[in-house]
Amino acid sequence: MLSFEVLRALLATLVLLLSGVFAQQDAPKEWWETTVFYQIYPRSFFDSDDDGVGDVKGITAKLQHLKDTGLEATWLSPIFSSPQVDFGYDVSDFRSVDPLFGTNEDLEELFVEAKKLGIKIILDFVPNHSSNEHEWFIKSEQRIDPYTDYYVWHNGSSDGMQPGERPRVPNNWQSVFRGSAWEWSEERQQYYLHQFAVGQPDLNYRNEKVIEEFDEILRFWMQKGASGFRIDAVNHMFEVEDFRDEPINDPSDPLSYGYTHHIYTKDLLETYDVVAHWREVMDEFVKENDVDTIIMMTEAYANMTMTMKFYESDDGTQQRAHFPFNFVMIEELGDASKASDFKYIIDRWLENMPRGKVTNWVLGNHDKPRVASRYGRQRIDGMALLVMTLPGVAVIYNGEEIGMEDFRDISYEDTKDPQGCNLGPESYKWASRDPQRTPFHWDDTFNAGFSRAPRTWLPMHPLYRQTNLLKQKEADCSTYKFYVDALKLRKERVFTHGEFRSRAYNDDVFGLVRFVRENEQRTLDPFYVVMINFADRTHTVDVSDLYRFSGDSATVRLIGTESRHLVGDVVDPSALVLGPYEAIMIGHADADADDDADADGSAGVKVTTDLLLFVIITCNFLLIK
Ligand code: NOJ
Ligand code: MG
């Protein structure tokens, strides 16, 4: 017979194993919740047909780069038909790929190839405006229905108008790219609104038909295989109906965008209902077609309150974007920021997130100086490590993985960006976005391996022989290798599901920890501590001021290129020495977890199989008895 003691021991083990299962089984997360979105600027990624401009086939040809790096999602700046006044953000046909970039078939092939590699493709969706060469605009100018009211038209002001004179502009609204936001149409004898370039007339979102048009465009691309949309300039969609003047902000330059406070042309509350509506269109498609979640990420340079509203309505009943881009790393922090600034800005963001929503951290994009130029070369790895280890999604811009820098010295003749050109030869340099848009550096051959054309659309950065992918792949230690390792570690449960805590040690050192609580004895819990020294001085820190774990040693798991340590080094956590600009990760993963423990909680799965084995053995044991 089975003795009472044996039975009790068996039961105790069962309870222990079961508690393990419950502790380790994490809530499953959707594909997008823990991923890194890699922005590709197609004009500058890879040129497959040697015309000096990157294209869709070029992206397909280089998908393996994403795969090798460990990237599983990418968002593409627009590749649709466009006169390229604003480099694709002036779309003349939302359903077709511009011949400059290839064909619709090329894009469909990209979807297919990306799917094979497990890479999701997000398209840029530009609803605020179209090109003035779009059929809708051409017909609207001619007052052909139903297009007559597709755009924002105005008679202009007749104040002080002499007979035979053209009316004045309707109000004091300025374009983001400088100068009045109104352009006269000879054809229609009215002004049209353009918050961006003259070639980008603003669509009229008070017209239901415009919203419907975009519903159809979304469905069209979802059908083709898009996994999501990045919504461009979303907070510019509505303007007040009575077109009143905006209050003056900076009277010194009446032509600049900063001249007025944009309270009547930006962040209007009507915007959020349209976003919620598009969310419904996407969710409905997912449901009807039984496909993975299709996500929406919104682009709005707005304050935190208005940005957070893009998640959901205040009462939580209306769902909106999956996430609005969080631009604090671009707009609020920089090379002069102290560790306490990082802590304050990050905590403030996390504390203001609506409950249960996924946060995100955008490191860079095609509109802002590159991270190497904003934060300084030595801080590249520190910033990368930060966005890779903070909770939620990270969004990075192509070229950041090799630490590309801005090419600020592009001549005025070579400058293409309207935001630069509109300022003239004296002042274009600092306003132009071309410096961060120069072609990707694949290797040290002609044109950095980007194109074999004699001239590329923007000049190559002259230092591409120093900074290029091939060189960084061959080096023992490089920003690229750092990214690859960080992306790998990021897949561990500690990062996908772990808790977060941070500390500003002094002006220079920012520390953060991610950990999972699952052991009776807390000191056994898996954790990773990240320490970033943002300055040119050495510091010695005590890790336990941030996080207490067992033992008097810790292992180095990841190092930035500025680090004095080596991966595998055993360090004293009570006196961790950080050299200038050092970025380092120490800690231990879950001992039980498989090497490739992933977001769906494979550690939990392993315990479940253990449990099954236990039950079988017990049954056998009982049967034999
Ligand atoms: C934001 C885009 O990122 C930028 O490049 C563009 O100029 C404006 N929206 C207008 O579409
Ligand atoms: Mg090309």
Side-chain angles (χ1 to χ4, degrees), residues 46-55 100:
F46 185 64
D47 177 16
S48 75
D49 59 359
D50 297 331
D51 63 352
V53 183
D55 38 57
L100 183 68

Side-chain angles (χ1 to χ4, degrees), residues 39 41 75 77-78 86-90 124 126 128-129 176-177 196-197 200 230 232-234 236 299 301 365-367 417-419 433 437:
Q39 180 193 353
Y41 193 66
W75 79 263
S77 284
D86 189 21
F87 300 99
Y89 284 97
D90 48 321
D124 211 323
V126 190
N128 177 67
H129 42 265
V176 175
F177 294 158
F196 294 89
Q200 292 170 298
R230 173 258 188 201
D232 182 77
V234 66
H236 291 267
E299 186 228 24
Y301 288 89
N365 61 40
H366 64 296
D367 291 328
D417 180 21
Q419 189 167 293
R433 297 167 297 179
R437 297 177 177 179

